Every structure is written in C-alpha cells, then in structure tokens.
Amino acid sequence: PINAVLGSLSLLQDTELDNEQSELTHTGRRSSETLLGIINDILDFSKMEAGKFVFDAAPLKISDIVETVLVVVSPRAEDKKISINTHISGRMPRYLVGDEGRVRQVLLNLVGNAVKFTDMGGVTIEVSLTAESEHDATIRFDVFDTGIGISAEHHDELFSEFTTLTPAYTQKFGGTGLGLAISKTLVNLMEGEIGFDSTLGEGSRFWFTVRLRKLSPHAIEAVEAEEKDSAN
C-alpha cells in the first residue's frame, strides 16, 4: 500500500497544481518515503532476529551503487542547499560479486544520515580499494559531513538498536534508531567492519568495508556482452 501511495503522489506531482497543492503533495511524498524507510527497517530487523536473512550474489559495479544513492539523496541535499561530492578510486575492479542491494542499503543509510544532519557545507563520499587478492577485494566506503557532529558521550551506544541519541534529536530529525544497528549487522555478515569518528559541532566521518568476490576474466566477458546486448 505505501508503494501505491508513493506512486499516486508521484503521478499527482506531474499534473498541473497550484502552489498550495504542490506543497501538500511534496509533503505527502516525503512523509510516505520516510514511512517506507521505517517499515523496511522493521522488516529487516525482524528477519535478522528470526535468522531468515539471505544475501544475493550477483555481478555488481561500485559506481552504479554510488550513482543510485546520489539519485535518492540529491533532491534533499538540493533542498537544503548543501553539496554532495564523490570520489571512487581508479584502482577499483570494474565488476565484483555480492549483494548490490544490501551494500547500497548501508551506504544509503550513512549518506542519508549525513545529509539529514548537515545544514551547511556538504557531504563527501569516498570509495577505495583497501585489499585485493586473486579471488576477492575489500572495498571501503567513507562518508564525510560538515554537520552537527556527535558528542563523545553517545559514541559507544550509536550502533545499538533503537538508539536515536536524545529526544531532542528524534523530535527534530525523526528516525527509528534501527538504521545503524541494521547497517552494522549487514556489514558484519558481509565480512566487513563499520565505524565512525565525530566531534560535536564539527561533523562526522562514517565508514564501512565489505569483502566482495572478483569475477573471472571469462565471467567479465559474459557480463559485458550482456550489457552490450541490453544497450542495443
């Protein structure tokens, strides 16, 4: 039902609306997107608790993951008049194998939080290759922001379930406090690590790593051929 609401509001925004109707529709869509995020967090948390969480293993491109995250967060960044910059290492393998949706989910959570808590300046996403063998690669994502930062007293509890720092933060910014806890579990299951450093009033840097399998040269040829056929 929430996807139907989002679809209907999206179609409504494409019609001719006066200023008040446009503002109300925009508010309804943003609220629906927030609600969808909460629902997905709760469903993921339930699956993890029940041991029913399953990962996909398919070819993926790191650049595609970053690009789709930007598509989601850029409108909000533009509304707040803050910048978003990205840098992907030139050493990055063109194709890797893993669960693209789950890697994107973690990155989107970190970037979404960075945009949410930043009112001046901007957010930077950096992706680097930290280790590589014949069969796999360890990829590191860093998300920097110039936002409000996090006081030292809250550092130890930040990745705990249902943690939203203080009631004042929750009232102003919203959220269930599940996003970071879910992200930590996802990263651990992908044989990676997650962490952050932050200073109150000076911004934050959140990071995570994942170990992904590399494609064989033959498999790369097959994927590239499939992409070429799809383009034609």
Side-chain angles (χ1 to χ4, degrees), residues 113-114 117-118 140 142-156 158-159 165 169 180 195-207:
N113 281 346
F117 293 113
T118 301
R140 175 173 171 128
D142 285 271
V143 179
F144 301 85
D145 70 62
T146 57
I148 59 177
I150 302 163
S151 61
E153 65 189 277
H154 293 299
H155 283 197
D156 291 341
L158 197 61
F159 287 99
L165 300 184
Y169 277 69
L180 288 178
F196 76 101
D197 50 76
S198 180
T199 302
L200 187 63
E202 297 183 11
S204 305
R205 174 180 66 101
F206 279 79
W207 59 270

Side-chain angles (χ1 to χ4, degrees), residues 27-124:
T27 301
R29 184 172 180 179
R30 288 292 187 209
S31 298
S32 298
E33 289 170 349
T34 300
L35 179 58
L36 181 60
I38 292 171
I39 291 169
N40 286 335
D41 280 350
I42 293 170
L43 289 174
D44 279 346
F45 187 68
S46 299
K47 289 177 183 177
M48 290 174 180
E49 292 254 292
K52 301 293 185 181
F53 212 80
V54 178
F55 284 89
D56 291 330
L60 60 83
K61 293 166 69 175
I62 296 297
S63 58
D64 286 349
I65 293 174
V66 174
E67 184 178 339
T68 52
V69 167
L70 290 176
V71 168
V72 175
V73 301
S74 290
R76 185 166 189 180
E78 290 171 4
D79 288 344
K80 301 183 75 174
K81 295 181 172 57
I82 62 174
S83 64
I84 299 185
N85 300 298
T86 63
H87 179 264
I88 300 175
S89 169
R91 298 174 53 227
M92 192 68 58
R94 179 170 171 79
Y95 295 100
L96 293 163
V97 177
D99 193 321
E100 180 176 342
R102 296 308 177 185
V103 176
R104 183 190 301 114
Q105 181 178 352
V106 177
L107 182 60
L108 180 57
N109 182 53
L110 299 188
V111 177
N113 281 346
V115 171
K116 181 193 295 186
F117 293 113
T118 301
D119 291 327
M120 296 181 63
V123 174
T124 300

